[in-house]
Amino acid sequence: MATVASDRLFGKSIKRREDPRFITGRGQYVDDVKIPGMTYAAFVRSPHAHARIRKIDTAAAMRHPGVVAIFTGKDMTGVNSLPCGWDLRKEKNVPGVVQDLAMVPHMPLTSDAARHVGDPVAVVIADSHEAAIDGAEKVQVDWEPLPAVTVTERAAASGAPKLHDGAPGNVAFKWEIGDRAATDAAFKTAGAVTVKKRIVNQRLVANAMEPRACLARFDDATGELTLWVTSQNPHVHRLLMCAFVLGIPEHKVRVIAPDVGGGFGSKIFLYNEEVVCSWVSRRLKRPVRWTASRSEAYLTDAHGRDHVTDAEIALGRDGKILGLRVKTTANLGAYLSTFAPAVPTFLYGTLLNGVYAIPAIHCEVTGVFSNTTAVDAYRGAGRPEACYVVERIVEAGARAAGMDVADLRKKNFIPKFSGAFQTQVAVVYDSGDYGAAWDRMLQMLDYRKFRAEQEAARKQGRLLGIGFSAYIEACSIAPSKLVGALGAGAGLYESGKVRVHPTGMVTVYTGSHSHGQGHETTFAQIVADKLGIPIEQVEIVHGDTGSIPFGMGTYGSRSASVGGTAILMSLNKVIEKGKRIAAHLLEASPKDIDFSGGQFQVKGVPGKAVPFGAVSLTAYIPHNFPEGVEPGLEETSFYDPSNFCFPFGAHACVVEVDRDTGNVKILRYLAVDDVGNVINPMIVDGMVHGGIAQGVGQALCEGAVYDGQSGQLVTGTMMDYALPKADMLPMYETDRTVTPTPVNPMGVKGAGETGTIAATPAVVNAVVDALAPLGVDHIEEMPMTAQRVWKIIQGAKGAR
Amino acid sequence: MYPAAFDYHAPSSVKEALELLGKHKDDAKLLAGGHSLIPMMKLRLAQPKHLIDLRKVPGLSGIKQDGNMLAIGAMTTHWEVESSALVKSKLAVLSETAALIGDPAVRNRGTVGGSIAHADPAADYPAAMIALGAEMVCEGAKGRRTVKVDDWFKGLMTTAVGEDEILVEVRVPVLPASSGAAYLKFPHPASRFAVVGVAAAVTLDGKGMCSKASVGVTGAGTKAIRAKGVEAGCAGKKLDAAAIEAAASKAAEGVDVQADLQGSVEYKSHLCRVFAKRALTEAVKRAGG
Ligand SMILES: Cc1cc2nc3c(=O)[nH]c(=O)nc-3n(C[C@H](O)[C@H](O)[C@H](O)COP(=O)(O)OP(=O)(O)OC[C@H]3O[C@@H](n4cnc5c(N)ncnc54)[C@H](O)[C@@H]3O)c2cc1C
């Protein structure tokens, strides 16, 4: 029977309830699911960046022991292209479209040509994983290699090799936002200081710890297909696969995303392999499994970023920002991944206002195709790119104007507000106190003291620098009506179902999906608090379309604010119903019943109360029950927020550059974040810490590099692609300010991406500052490897 | 990825291992810690039909002092070298070198013999072995022979070990009095292998002049080499900052520097000089100079 909890859990750093399972190796990941009669898939992939397929000979592979079947794209008749779920077309009235999105086909197995290294052309199904791989090596593809283009700035140049008939000049779309005329005028203001810089945001690979995997089982007897898949949003996977690609009945398909070891965005999308395994399972009437090798992950998981931007800022004599002009080329890779067009447009251009009062902004984006892995949302998705442009060009502006980079920022902050701040780039901010987070960060840093130390260090020839980043992030993107008008093929609400069992134990079904975020803890804290029951009596279920109501999943830092609110709404309904049952038991009117501390009580009469557990039992054994009330205690809600939430904060990074090698060492890293109210501070700290590491990784070492000639991915293994390591990072100095959002009842914003957004420009700005005595005022490209920094030092006019 | 199919053998003596090697010849590979071989097999860059695992062969691991030499069994792990009290007291630089290899998982599996036999151009031990004047003991059907380090590294991943031989021991002389040695590296940001690594050993005479300098460079080229120009630049000199700088300026001479993502020829050559200077400075300090 339910007992009553004492402490309020909202705001408490309770340990993650899921961790014992993960750290003792008892998680259930897709690859752990074993079913009898399983077959294994291995994909035959293009070794070329671009090549026509003349012929595929599978005879030798079919003879390999253990091989069951081999399919090519030609065999998959009746199967459609993988859909792109974000449609930028004028006819759809999507704002800002200058040139319609080219909806190029993306077949699960390509049969005309391969358009990037790793593009799958055939699948070998065998009785063992080994036989499948050996079989795949024996498939003979007669390739006709074609010229390839991988470099972002060259993809749409004249004479570049064409990828798709439907995309002349390799242009995927052209889009703009802001006011061109007002921005042009701002740049003509008398006495304005204007600075233009080329800013490159390099391509990244997500590198989730668990590689992508799937297992499809078609049950011939019931006609049901079950797909276990590493997904951040199982319902979205199911919908896209059923309605768009395979044309199979949605109610006969169950998608399960069990424990998933990280996603960072890369597991949002519908991929070729999942579709192929599902199709093959229906065809062979046998279960089919596939688990990516790390090398396959590098070649096929959607990549992130890859922008080349010309950014210009105009500053008045007083240091006030007058205007911002941004021109970006975004490399989308060879095909349109599920949400690819949204990332460099509505998730990017709309954030260019930053935390500053900027009177005029204009941004143009050209999306281009190239012979590279498709690019889509990666932790932050568009917002890190926007923050990077703003925070780099603001610093460049300050340097050009001869102003202190911290003073200039402070002068331009949007003043504290709550409710609505209309930006120049469509979105309306919810609440903000940018100066407060900034001041706290400067105080922790002791900025003036640092500058004095820096001065002394410079006299000794040491290259010490500080970099800042005052960021804004947009999360829990909504409402559905708005995102629909912007081109989204999906809604952006969330579902939450609360099932109270007769004994008062509670199971919560959430459409959010945890793949590292800690929902089983955070959501349970909300439930335990609200119902006044111990957290042990709450179970959180996610990731199974067979049990949860239709949900949109986890990305864009939306789980707490959207998923959590949906649960809260259902909890409120449960309590309302409970009040009616309690009122009946207590012979009072429902409006006279209070619910707190797990007790339904007649207002002002402490003795007249029934505990939550008694009410739940009565709901299921309704012998003595109010008239007109249905038995049972279970409620479902769908929450569609009225607006985005906008977390913000101020980060600073202190670096020292080794003059001899160019190596950058981070000495201090400070972060003051404002993510609204915080449910579990420890989990938020973890999010911030990991995010900063990823942001530092982009600044200093990560980067997907393609060979310009062959189009091969040079950084295709963990021995080549440099992820940040613990010893590169100092102990972080962190704090928070709290500016609740008025958008949702809990006042929570979102914490999943802040670190990634903020850290990259802070680190790069710090290196620029360190090199400033040598005459360096800008660094165009990342990662700032030792070699790159050394070359900059060599080329600097003030170098020894 | 999965490696291609292979047969696995676990001999229990060097003799048995040699017989297997003689039988399967080119189709066989010796397996030590597996931390170079297995990754290559998983990428299918290597597809041996037979693996001869040396881990069950007794007597191939351990460190002992033999006169003025440290005798290190081929199957001794990097971690054993790193943590050995004997190595720390007699030849600390070797323990320090081992500690810079990869990460703890790599160091607990990878072996001295595997590293020296594999001769990865970016491996750490080779520079130290050159600077310290090590010898490799190989055993074949006809018995044992000893190869000096200067005759060992032949080219990219090729050494003096015969196809029908096993490297059984590495013998490293301890440093004479008034000597110091150091190994410093610029690690690859992903793999932590040496983009450039330089080991220096110097011996000073009674007047504080350099009576002997021995310098090995790894990482930059296709194989580790002895930096003869640096050694000559040090000999007979008082190794102050200026002398070290001058000597170190020769560090890239004779290195067939390979450009890659981590560095152009120019940058890697520069790193050779920087790390030669740093390693020499530290070695001289340790020698009491
Ligand atoms: C992630 C990672 C990071 C690494 N970082 C570094 C680093 O920073 N610095 C560094 O130096 N190394 C590094 N390494 C390599 C590591 O040190 C290996 O352990 C070493 O190079 C090979 O030793 P092994 O015992 O693993 O040999 P194996 O992989 O088993 O064998 C390597 C080769 O040597 C042959 N061989 C092995 N033993 C003998 C023998 N006794 N006689 C003849 N032939 C033999 C094998 O047949 C094979 O061809 C790294 C490896 C990994 C996986």
Side-chain angles (χ1 to χ4, degrees), chain A residues 13-265:
Chain A
S13 289
I14 63 167
K15 281 196 182 162
R16 300 206 331 165
R17 306 162 79 210
E18 47 270 78
D19 280 352
R21 168 169 106 240
F22 295 150
I23 59 186
T24 56
R26 289 177 295 169
Q28 267 283 315
Y29 297 87
V30 173
D31 199 59
D32 295 320
V33 181
K34 302 269 161 23
I35 41 183
M38 211 154 59
T39 63
Y40 297 78
F43 287 84
V44 179
R45 300 183 181 280
S46 173
H48 302 286
H50 198 191
R52 199 163 290 131
I53 302 165
R54 288 207 199 97
K55 189 167 161 270
I56 302 179
D57 183 352
T58 59
M62 260 325 281
R63 286 195 297 271
H64 188 83
V67 170
V68 172
I70 301 175
F71 300 101
T72 67
K74 294 219 167 93
D75 298 316
M76 293 183 73
T77 47
V79 174
N80 298 317
S81 164
L82 300 173
C84 171
W86 204 287
D87 194 351
L88 297 180
R89 272 186 291 175
K90 282 185 217 156
E91 63 175 71
K92 298 261 171 182
N93 284 323
V94 175
V97 176
V98 177
Q99 182 179 320
D100 280 355
L101 177 68
M103 278 286 187
V104 299
H106 184 193
M107 301 314 287
L109 293 175
T110 183
S111 50
D112 57 341
R115 293 178 180 82
H116 66 92
V117 174
D119 207 354
V121 300
V123 64
V124 176
I125 310 295
D127 284 326
S128 70
H129 194 168
E130 296 84 341
I133 291 172
D134 289 342
E137 286 211 329
K138 290 189 176 161
V139 172
Q140 299 286 325
V141 185
D142 183 3
W143 298 105
E144 179 188 334
L146 301 170
V149 61
T150 58
V151 179
T152 309
E153 281 161 303
R154 280 189 223 138
S158 66
K162 184 175 78 177
L163 273 85
H164 299 279
D165 288 338
N170 294 333
V171 173
F173 66 81
K174 288 189 180 174
W175 179 86
E176 65 174 345
I177 195 166
D179 189 331
R180 183 192 295 267
T183 308
D184 287 349
F187 274 81
K188 288 192 189 114
T189 310
V193 177
T194 67
V195 188
K196 181 174 177 177
K197 296 290 182 198
R198 178 174 173 269
I199 296 174
V200 181
N201 203 301
Q202 85 274 27
R203 176 181 286 247
L204 301 176
V205 181
N207 277 299
M209 202 183 289
E210 181 202 16
R212 285 192 299 117
C214 65
L215 167 60
R217 178 184 64 189
F218 180 65
D219 184 335
D220 199 23
T222 60
E224 276 174 19
L225 175 79
T226 307
L227 176 68
W228 288 264
V229 62
T230 46
S231 170
Q232 301 181 208
N233 30 236
H235 278 102
V236 177
H237 261 81
R238 187 179 67 168
L239 176 64
L240 294 177
M241 206 169 67
C242 293
F244 295 94
V245 190
L246 294 179
I248 53 177
E250 195 179 1
H251 69 297
K252 291 278 196 185
V253 177
R254 178 175 172 195
V255 174
I256 303 173
D259 286 331
V260 173
F264 308 115

Side-chain angles (χ1 to χ4, degrees), chain B residues 30 32-37 78 102 106 110-111 114 117 123-124 167 185 192-193:
Chain B
L30 296 169
H35 266 53
S36 290
L37 183 55
H78 307 328
V106 172
T111 66
D124 293 302
L167 171 62
K185 82 195 255 199
R192 298 287 163 106
F193 270 97

